[in-house]
Amino acid sequence: MKRILLIIFAFFLSLTLTGCSLQDLMGKKQKSQSTSQNQQKQVIAVALNEQDPNKALVLRGIEDMAQKENMDVKVLSSGSEGQTSKGSSSSGSSSGSQSQGQSSSGSKQGSSSDLKGAKVLIYQGGNPEILQTVQSSNIPVVALNELPGGVKPAGIILPDPQEKGKLMAEPVLSKASEGQIVVMQGDPSDSSSQEMLASIKQALSKNSKLTVHAISSPSGSEAAAGQSLTDFLQKNSGKVPAIIAQNEKLAAQAAEVLKSQQLEKKVLLIGGQANLQSLQRMSTGIQAADIDTSPYIQGVNAFQWAQKILNKSALDINESVTGDQGEVPAKIIPVKSVTPENAAVVQKSYAKAAETAAKAETQAKKDQGTSGSNDPKDQGSQDQGQSKGQDQGSSSGQSGSTGANIPQGAQKVTEKVQTIITREYLDSQGKVLGTEKSTSEQNRTIPPEMLKKEMQQQSQQGQQSKQGQQDQTDNQNKKS
């Protein structure tokens, strides 16, 4: 008994000498768990421009990165809802867009309830009240595409405006010898818009017979810009060989004006923001060229800068933009020209990415709608429906395989071969920053002699099958 008391006394004496206590020992694990949970609760809020035709691709880039880094993204819609996306791989969604929560339908975007828990905001557009909220809450902002008014962002991600202007001018220089080139500019007070216009003018100055007429249009005044274009074309009939439009809204307005005046085949239309609609116009010959601004990569870079701000790390600055707020650090995204030669590949890449983003959004809404139901019958019905759909898909795929019967009277057979390309963007250490998938299709015709041979083989197989069935019937008759 004395030995036990001595051991207990020695134990407490050692704790006293080292400054530890039982409470400290027991609390270490709890403190570690609490710290880990706090790290997982870091939230990046995102407010995107609902009018951006490539909004889904930008968000996809952000959410893909959030999933890799096990972080949360809270998407603030332009309406009344704020939606949180879990960015961890355990979310079960490839895009990390599983809905985790929603704000009350009566709140406005930018309210303190929507931004609760957010440590940084990626801002492209939406309710401007959100900027007042982040400013009063000292939440840093990473801007997308253009500088927001009323707040100085910590940085901005935007496509290269100078290279964009240069690339938009190239088709004009190669196809127009003289005349007035109309540039439908966006907000004239935006510094990137000013740089783009200056770059266009500098490039077109190589041909002294070309002059530039700019039509500026702050956001929301695109219809007025369309009317100005109509008036200018009527006053200068036959003197306008090309129109350059800074973004999709302006390009769509220009396309409508050209069609209304039956000039779509006579006047070149050059866009500055490739998207599914503009690429479709290119495929029909209404639009001559466009600019791929890499919206997915914009989203990836916006997330990376937001994460650096959260971690208090230095930003990888390669440029700066000056506005009313002063000089702002900028990350310039390279752009590339889209021409009829590569338009099909770019269009398939955009379509595939947009389709994937739409599926992820639909799945998130389904998960949110069924998360409140605990009825086993509902779950069982759901599982049966999914299983049935998979079975149908499997049987459909088998019936469409290369072993299908050749219909009688077939004189020609064409095949469509689809190739899927997965592109990965890596940093200098080999870490995957983002992925991008594109598909391409190749049409080919089966030679007549091969078709004839396959039909003969099919006929022989049919005769052998009939003969086998007949032999089996004869054997059964003999036994009976």
Side-chain angles (χ1 to χ4, degrees):
M1 185 65 181
K2 290 182 179 179
R3 182 177 297 176
I4 293 174
L5 291 173
L6 287 172
I7 292 173
I8 294 173
F9 177 78
F11 174 73
F12 279 102
L13 181 61
S14 65
L15 291 178
T16 303
L17 292 174
T18 57
C20 296
S21 64
L22 287 174
Q23 188 176 1
D24 291 335
L25 293 174
M26 295 175 67
K28 280 183 179 180
K29 186 175 181 181
Q30 294 176 354
K31 185 176 181 181
S32 175
Q33 290 176 345
S34 177
T35 302
S36 176
Q37 289 175 356
N38 287 336
Q39 289 176 349
Q40 291 180 355
K41 288 181 180 179
Q42 285 187 332
V43 177
I44 295 176
V46 178
L48 298 180
N49 182 3
E50 294 294 330
Q51 303 301 318
D52 183 358
N54 294 322
K55 184 192 76 167
L57 301 185
V58 175
L59 181 58
R60 174 82 178 176
I62 295 172
E63 290 188 331
D64 279 356
M65 288 302 298
Q67 184 181 22
K68 293 179 189 301
E69 300 298 329
N70 192 26
M71 295 182 68
D72 287 352
V73 172
K74 188 168 188 178
V75 182
L76 306 177
S77 67
S78 62
S80 58
E81 297 174 348
Q83 202 175 54
T84 305
S85 299
K86 180 68 175 177
S88 65
S89 58
S90 62
S91 66
S93 171
S94 61
S95 67
S97 60
Q98 291 250 18
S99 175
Q100 300 294 324
Q102 221 170 14
S103 66
S104 62
S105 60
S107 63
K108 292 183 179 181
Q109 184 190 30
S111 67
S112 57
S113 60
D114 284 342
L115 288 168
K116 185 177 181 180
K119 303 299 182 184
V120 65
L121 170 68
I122 297 175
Y123 183 85
Q124 184 192 33
N127 192 330
E129 291 181 8
I130 190 175
L131 298 175
Q132 300 174 7
T133 304
V134 296
Q135 190 173 28
S136 61
S137 303
N138 293 323
I139 298 175
V141 175
V142 175
L144 268 173
N145 296 329
E146 61 182 47
L147 292 171
V151 63
K152 183 176 181 179
I156 181 172
I157 310 294
L158 75 161
D160 190 338
Q162 294 182 1
E163 185 66 16
K164 185 177 175 180
K166 177 183 174 183
L167 292 177
M168 285 193 288
E170 285 182 354
V172 179
L173 286 171
S174 63
K175 297 180 180 179
S177 57
E178 62 180 354
Q180 300 191 62
I181 309 302
V182 177
V183 177
M184 300 187 73
Q185 182 190 16
D187 189 346
S189 64
D190 180 61
S191 59
S192 61
S193 179
Q194 294 169 4
E195 287 188 42
M196 181 213 67
L197 180 60
S199 180
I200 292 173
K201 289 181 177 179
Q202 183 179 3
L204 294 180
S205 66
K206 296 176 182 177
N207 184 346
S208 59
K209 294 183 179 180
L210 295 175
T211 58
V212 175
H213 175 77
I215 298 177
S216 60
S217 55
S219 180
S221 63
E222 289 81 11
Q227 184 58 51
S228 297
L229 176 62
T230 301
D231 296 339
F232 187 82
L233 290 173
Q234 291 175 348
K235 291 178 181 178
N236 299 274
S237 179
K239 298 179 181 180
V240 179
I243 298 171
I244 298 175
Q246 181 176 348
N247 54 47
E248 166 56 21
K249 275 192 171 184
L250 294 172
Q253 282 286 338
E256 290 300 319
V257 171
L258 291 177
K259 285 192 289 185
S260 67
Q261 299 194 18
Q262 299 181 341
L263 295 173
E264 67 271 23
K265 301 297 183 181
K266 300 177 181 179
V267 177
L268 296 174
L269 175 58
I270 316 297
Q273 186 186 21
N275 61 89
L276 290 178
Q277 290 77 23
S278 69
L279 293 170
Q280 179 62 31
R281 289 195 297 268
M282 286 186 66
S283 66
T284 58
I286 297 175
Q287 189 165 318
D290 215 324
I291 301 297
D292 183 2
T293 57
S294 301
Y296 179 88
I297 304 303
Q298 290 182 40
V300 169
N301 280 272
F303 176 89
Q304 289 176 331
W305 269 27
Q307 187 181 33
K308 287 179 183 291
I309 292 172
L310 275 174
N311 297 333
K312 295 180 170 33
S313 303
L315 300 177
D316 47 330
I317 302 168
N318 62 4
E319 192 62 76
S320 65
V321 174
T322 303
D324 295 338
Q325 309 91 330
E327 192 173 15
V328 177
K331 181 67 177 289
I332 305 300
I333 305 299
V335 297
K336 57 186 177 183
S337 180
V338 183
T339 62
E341 288 72 25
N342 66 347
V345 176
V346 176
Q347 185 175 20
K348 288 172 183 175
S349 175
Y350 270 62
K352 183 66 176 178
E355 180 185 359
T356 304
K359 285 182 178 179
E361 184 178 354
T362 302
Q363 185 61 44
K365 290 180 179 179
K366 286 182 179 179
D367 293 338
Q368 182 183 354
T370 57
S371 61
S373 174
N374 296 318
D375 191 341
K377 293 181 181 180
D378 292 343
Q379 186 64 39
S381 175
Q382 219 175 26
D383 294 340
Q384 289 177 3
Q386 291 175 353
S387 175
K388 184 178 180 181
Q390 290 172 354
D391 293 341
Q392 289 177 347
S394 175
S395 62
S396 175
Q398 290 174 358
S399 67
S401 63
T402 54
N405 292 333
I406 302 175
Q408 291 184 356
Q411 300 296 320
K412 182 180 179 181
V413 177
T414 60
E415 291 182 341
K416 288 186 177 181
V417 181
Q418 188 180 68
T419 303
I420 301 177
I421 301 173
T422 302
R423 177 187 293 181
E424 291 187 341
Y425 296 90
L426 312 174
D427 60 13
S428 57
Q429 283 76 36
K431 181 181 177 181
V432 178
L433 303 179
T435 58
E436 188 175 3
K437 287 188 177 182
S438 62
T439 60
S440 61
E441 287 186 357
Q442 178 185 4
N443 296 328
R444 61 188 185 190
T445 303
I446 296 179
E449 58 272 13
M450 185 180 295
L451 175 61
K452 184 178 180 181
K453 184 178 180 180
E454 288 184 6
M455 293 179 70
Q456 290 175 349
Q457 291 176 349
Q458 178 177 305
S459 177
Q460 291 174 0
Q461 290 174 356
Q463 292 176 358
Q464 291 174 359
S465 177
K466 288 181 180 179
Q467 185 63 42
Q469 292 176 356
Q470 183 64 42
D471 293 341
Q472 187 176 6
T473 302
D474 292 344
N475 290 334
Q476 289 178 350
N477 292 335
K478 288 179 181 179
K479 288 180 182 180
S480 59

